[in-house]
């Protein structure tokens, strides 16, 4: 086992995929499942008829959900658990967020800092934008011990296991700040499916756990969902067709119906919503004078999930965009590389950004034939 500290381990992973030659070979993914995810965006969804074949979206060994809760998730693709997380913990994470905003030296190298796109358009440099009101999101913080307390919270993981099973890997970590909008609506996130970003399957063994850190309502941009859409396939996404401004990688489903019965999801401090990665969801702009903080992680099963090759699929454009974002991040940190020198695919990137939080083996370990500790016989 690799006993290096997480930051060193991730740095070595990144370095291993940067080739010295500009003629670096194309990514090799022969050990991964080929996945054809192409689907035209003309899916007629009536809220009742499944468009993907699944017997159940709940793990067969789950122990915590009541029959009513399980049935609700099966039908709607989400489940809201009230007051799951202790407000005292949330206050600790809020203070840590502010510290990380104001003191760049505290941030792990692997952490991504997202600022509102409108700041750059106004000429505000990133180095000048280190404050709570200018940072919209911190993500990829598996090396930040205080925020990672959320992903290791036992009460949270007991619910996560209802969807993933006992082996759990924290894949996508985010603390979303959503400050008051700058006036151009850039704080919105168009209706989308999270699976667009993820190179691991099956989808039903991945779940988001999104927890309110303060009162969230329609005024400050609460989540909205379209119940039952977890039964649709992965659809074509892109930047808004209406020409509106959104932040980098805030993609939305293209060709949406004109009329949809979207459900607004107001939440109080400590409330947690679990949802399927195919569920159509998004949030409106924050036109209030309040923040709209939420802490979130997508979790996947270490025993049943598999990395896939997204080349040539509906996700290939996203893979290219994330590669470009990785190169941009490396250059900002003084690592000058050419696009052709980065031999990395979407699965490599997520493997670098994730961490096992329950069990002792990762998705990558399992894919290479390892046996998880909790499945070994005495």
């Amino acid at each position: 086992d690799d006993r290096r500290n997480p930051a060193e381990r991730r740095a070595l992973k990144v370095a291993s995929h940067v080739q010295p030659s500009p003629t670096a070979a194309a990514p090799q993914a022969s050990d991964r499942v080929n996945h054809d995810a192409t689907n035209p965006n003309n899916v007629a969804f009536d809220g009742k008829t499944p468009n993907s074949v699944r017997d159940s979206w709940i793990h067969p060994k789950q122990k915590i959900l009541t029959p009513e809760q399980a049935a609700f998730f099966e039908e709607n693709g989400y489940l809201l658990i009230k007051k799951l997380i202790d407000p005292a913990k949330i206050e600790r994470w809020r203070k840590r967020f502010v510290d990380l905003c104001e003191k760049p030296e505290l941030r792990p190298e692997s952490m991504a800092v997202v600022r509102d796109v409108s700041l750059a358009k106004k000429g505000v440099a990133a180095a000048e934008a280190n404050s709570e009101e200018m940072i919209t999101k911190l993500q990829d913080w598996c090396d930040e011990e205080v925020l990672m307390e959320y992903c290791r919270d036992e009460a949270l993981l007991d619910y996560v296991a209802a969807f993933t099973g006992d082996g759990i890997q924290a894949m996508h970590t985010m603390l979303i700040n959503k400050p008051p909008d700058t006036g151009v609506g850039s704080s919105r996130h168009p209706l989308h499916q999270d699976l667009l970003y993820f190179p691991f399957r099956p989808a039903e063994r991945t779940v988001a756990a999104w927890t309110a850190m303060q009162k969230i309502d329609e005024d400050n941009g609460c989540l909205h969902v379209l119940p039952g859409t977890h039964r649709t396939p992965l659809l074509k996404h892109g930047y808004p067709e209406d020409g509106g401004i959104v932040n980098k990688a805030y993609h939305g489903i293209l060709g949406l119906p004109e009329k949809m019965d979207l459900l607004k999801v107001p939440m109080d401090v400590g409330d947690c919503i679990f949802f399927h990665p195919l569920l159509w969801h998004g949030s409106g702009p924050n036109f209030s004078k309040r923040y709209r903080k939420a802490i979130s992680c997508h979790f996947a099963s270490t025993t049943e999930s598999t990395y896939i090759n997204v080349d040539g699929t509906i996700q290939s454009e996203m893979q290219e965009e994330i590669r470009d974002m990785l190169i941009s991040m490396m250059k900002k940190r003084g690592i000058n590389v050419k696009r052709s020198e980065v031999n990395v695919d979407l699965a490599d990137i997520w493997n670098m950004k994730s961490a096992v939080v329950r069990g002792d083996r990762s998705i990558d370990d399992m894919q290479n034939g390892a046996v998880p500790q909790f499945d070994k016989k005495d």
Side-chain angles (χ1 to χ4, degrees), residues 225-227 259-263:
V225 302
L226 189 57
K259 294 183 179 180
M260 295 179 287
D261 294 326
L262 291 175
L263 177 70

Side-chain angles (χ1 to χ4, degrees), residues 180-199:
D181 198 89
T182 57
V184 296
S186 55
S187 61
R188 66 174 169 146
H189 195 159
L191 210 61
H192 63 284
Q193 297 168 297
D194 288 337
L195 195 65
L196 175 73
Y197 304 92
F198 301 150

Side-chain angles (χ1 to χ4, degrees), residues 84 132 259:
L84 178 61
E132 184 181 13
K259 294 183 179 180

Side-chain angles (χ1 to χ4, degrees), residues 6-15 110 142-143 352-355:
E8 182 183 1
R9 190 166 61 249
R10 284 182 174 77
L12 288 170
K13 283 182 179 179
V14 171
S110 55
C142 281
D143 298 329
M352 294 176 212
K353 301 200 302 182
S354 60

Side-chain angles (χ1 to χ4, degrees), residues 105-120:
E105 67 274 12
L106 296 179
R107 301 171 195 159
E109 282 290 320
S110 55
M111 178 182 287
V113 179
V114 182
R115 297 171 177 87
D116 195 276
V117 66
S118 64
L119 293 176

Side-chain angles (χ1 to χ4, degrees), residues 187-306:
S187 61
R188 66 174 169 146
H189 195 159
L191 210 61
H192 63 284
Q193 297 168 297
D194 288 337
L195 195 65
L196 175 73
Y197 304 92
F198 301 150
F200 34 90
R201 300 292 188 276
E204 65 268 24
R205 292 297 166 258
T206 300
V207 69
W210 197 99
T211 298
M213 298 181 71
Q214 60 192 101
K215 183 176 178 59
I216 294 176
D217 52 35
E218 192 169 353
D219 289 340
N220 65 349
C222 68
L223 286 180
H224 45 251
V225 302
L226 189 57
T229 46
H230 62 306
R231 291 180 248 132
T232 61
L234 180 59
L235 301 174
K236 179 71 174 177
H237 288 60
Y239 287 107
E241 296 172 309
D242 61 10
I245 298 174
V246 295
N247 287 306
K248 185 71 172 175
Y250 277 35
H251 293 275
I253 300 169
L254 300 178
L256 287 170
E258 291 186 7
K259 294 183 179 180
M260 295 179 287
D261 294 326
L262 291 175
L263 177 70
K264 303 293 193 300
V265 188
M267 299 169 68
D268 292 314
V269 176
D271 293 354
C272 182
I273 182 171
F274 297 89
F275 56 90
H276 189 283
L278 283 170
L279 182 74
W280 301 10
H281 69 286
S283 63
N286 178 6
F287 285 139
S288 75
K289 295 182 179 180
R290 298 173 284 142
Y291 292 95
R292 194 227 62 182
K293 287 185 177 64
I295 189 167
S296 172
C297 182
H298 287 80
F299 297 92
S301 170
T302 61
T303 58
E304 298 179 43
S305 296
T306 303

Side-chain angles (χ1 to χ4, degrees), residues 53-234:
V53 180
R54 294 284 182 272
D55 293 328
S56 175
W57 285 268
I58 303 293
H59 197 277
K61 295 183 179 180
Q62 79 87 16
K63 303 172 184 176
I64 196 168
L65 301 183
T66 67
E68 293 77 16
Q69 288 173 328
F72 185 91
F73 188 91
E74 296 275 11
E75 177 66 21
N76 296 285
Y78 74 94
L79 180 66
L80 179 64
I81 303 295
K82 303 290 288 183
K83 299 180 180 179
L84 178 61
I85 304 296
D86 185 345
K89 294 180 180 179
I90 288 176
E91 177 61 13
R92 171 174 162 82
W93 302 331
R94 185 199 67 78
K95 289 179 178 178
R96 184 60 173 174
F97 172 81
V98 174
D99 284 344
L100 290 165
C101 288
E102 296 177 349
K103 302 172 183 176
E105 67 274 12
L106 296 179
R107 301 171 195 159
E109 282 290 320
S110 55
M111 178 182 287
V113 179
V114 182
R115 297 171 177 87
D116 195 276
V117 66
S118 64
L119 293 176
K121 293 182 179 294
K122 293 177 181 178
V124 179
E128 301 170 355
N130 290 314
S131 64
E132 184 181 13
E133 62 268 21
M134 291 189 174
I135 292 177
T136 62
K137 180 167 60 173
L138 297 178
Q139 66 181 34
D140 305 335
W141 31 258
C142 281
D143 298 329
E144 211 300 299
E145 287 302 315
V146 177
L147 296 185
M148 272 301 286
E149 292 170 2
Y150 172 73
C151 298
R152 297 190 176 102
D153 186 90
E154 289 299 324
L156 181 77
L157 291 179
D158 286 346
Y159 276 96
V160 170
F163 309 98
T164 63
D166 288 334
I168 304 173
Q169 192 158 330
M171 305 302 297
H172 191 199
T173 52
M174 298 185 292
L175 198 157
I176 309 159
N177 189 31
K178 205 173 182 106
D181 198 89
T182 57
V184 296
S186 55
S187 61
R188 66 174 169 146
H189 195 159
L191 210 61
H192 63 284
Q193 297 168 297
D194 288 337
L195 195 65
L196 175 73
Y197 304 92
F198 301 150
F200 34 90
R201 300 292 188 276
E204 65 268 24
R205 292 297 166 258
T206 300
V207 69
W210 197 99
T211 298
M213 298 181 71
Q214 60 192 101
K215 183 176 178 59
I216 294 176
D217 52 35
E218 192 169 353
D219 289 340
N220 65 349
C222 68
L223 286 180
H224 45 251
V225 302
L226 189 57
T229 46
H230 62 306
R231 291 180 248 132
T232 61
L234 180 59

